Each structure stands twice: as structure tokens, then as C-alpha cells.
Amino acid sequence: MNSILEITRTSRKMIAPFLEKYTLEQLNAVPTGFSNNLIWNIAHIVVTQQLLVYKLSGLPMNVSDEMVEKYKKGTKPEQAATQDEVDEIKSLLFKTIDETAVDLENKIFNNFTEYPTSTGFILKNAEDAIAFNNFHEGLHIGILMSIRKFI
């Protein structure tokens, strides 16, 4: 399981520079032809990991309900993210993965509600959720790379 989380950390290392390199205005810009922006995709990545791994395991998430409502699947940017929100997302980027590693070591993921993903793959346990999350993050890294060409 350590290698799967190392893949997640590698993904997050690719994402982190977007939060450093781009201004708040650029992070919030929705280019023509896109339905979201850089900061939405990054926050969505953080929220989705928590939903897949913790919520489906019946455990408290390490992100606020407000953040979940703003960045879960099916949402789009309704208002610009503030610098405080960007800072919070930045702090959660690695913190959430570090917490997942500790929780895996402590074997807290005992229950899981099976979940059919939009790809048709059915998540049957937390390990499936962590592995699928890496695929999900890869998709959104591709979107981040596309958006950056237009801002």
C-alpha cells in the first residue's frame, strides 16, 4: 500500500507548483471552452480523495462539508476562490495524504460502502478507492495542464 500512496504523493508534487506559479486571478480564470479553473480542479482532487477513501469507509473526512459542497463531482466554480481558500487547499494537498498513510497503518478502514465509479469500476474497499483515486488525479492533472495553456 505504501507504493500506491507514493504515487498519490507524486501526483500531488505535480499539482503543488500550480499553487505557487499562478496568481489568484489565474487560478480562478475559466478559459473559453472549459467549465472550471485551476483552483477548482485542485480542490476537487483533494475533496474526491476524502470522499472516496473516508466517506465511503464511514469515517469523518479531513475536509469541511462546505469544501465538499463547493468542489464535489458535478459542481463548477460559482464564485472566485479567495486567497484564504487557496491557502487552505494548499495546506490540505499533502496533509490529507499523510493522514491517510497514518490511518492505513492504524488499520481504521474496516467498513466500506461499495461504489460504482463513473468509469464502471466498482470500488469494494478503501484500497480500491486509493488506487482509483490515483487514476482520477491523473485525469485532473491532464485538465490542469490543458487549462494552463489558456491563462
Side-chain angles (χ1 to χ4, degrees):
M1 188 53 60
N2 286 339
S3 64
I4 292 176
L5 283 180
E6 281 310 307
I7 293 169
T8 310
R9 282 190 182 94
T10 300
S11 167
R12 302 291 172 103
K13 286 175 188 171
M14 292 179 71
I15 296 165
F18 284 88
L19 296 169
E20 299 295 330
K21 182 177 180 181
Y22 295 98
T23 65
L24 183 60
E25 183 180 336
Q26 289 172 315
L27 289 169
N28 279 299
V30 179
T32 302
F34 289 85
S35 59
N36 51 48
N37 53 33
L38 293 174
I39 196 60
W40 183 92
N41 277 277
I42 296 167
H44 173 73
I45 286 167
V46 171
V47 163
T48 298
Q49 186 267 345
Q50 291 290 296
L51 288 168
L52 292 176
V53 179
Y54 285 85
K55 185 159 181 123
L56 291 175
S57 293
L59 298 168
M61 293 182 291
N62 298 302
V63 297
S64 69
D65 291 341
E66 178 183 271
M67 184 177 281
V68 170
E69 287 305 309
K70 193 170 181 179
Y71 297 108
K72 68 184 179 181
K73 180 180 176 181
T75 64
K76 61 183 181 180
E78 299 293 335
Q79 61 196 30
T82 65
Q83 187 60 53
D84 286 344
E85 289 172 304
V86 171
D87 293 342
E88 180 183 13
I89 292 160
K90 184 177 176 181
S91 75
L92 290 168
L93 200 59
F94 291 99
K95 180 181 174 191
T96 51
I97 303 309
D98 293 341
E99 290 168 344
T100 301
V102 170
D103 291 341
L104 273 169
E105 192 172 304
N106 291 331
K107 301 181 185 341
I108 72 163
F109 300 106
N110 299 316
N111 300 309
F112 194 85
T113 302
E114 283 192 10
Y115 178 77
T117 67
S118 56
T119 65
F121 184 78
I122 298 172
L123 306 178
K124 296 182 181 186
N125 53 50
E127 290 80 13
D128 286 353
I130 293 167
F132 181 81
N133 181 68
N134 286 338
F135 166 77
H136 177 262
E137 290 194 15
L139 292 174
H140 284 276
I141 288 171
I143 295 168
L144 290 168
M145 291 177 167
S146 293
I147 290 174
R148 75 177 176 189
K149 294 177 183 177
F150 298 97
I151 59 169

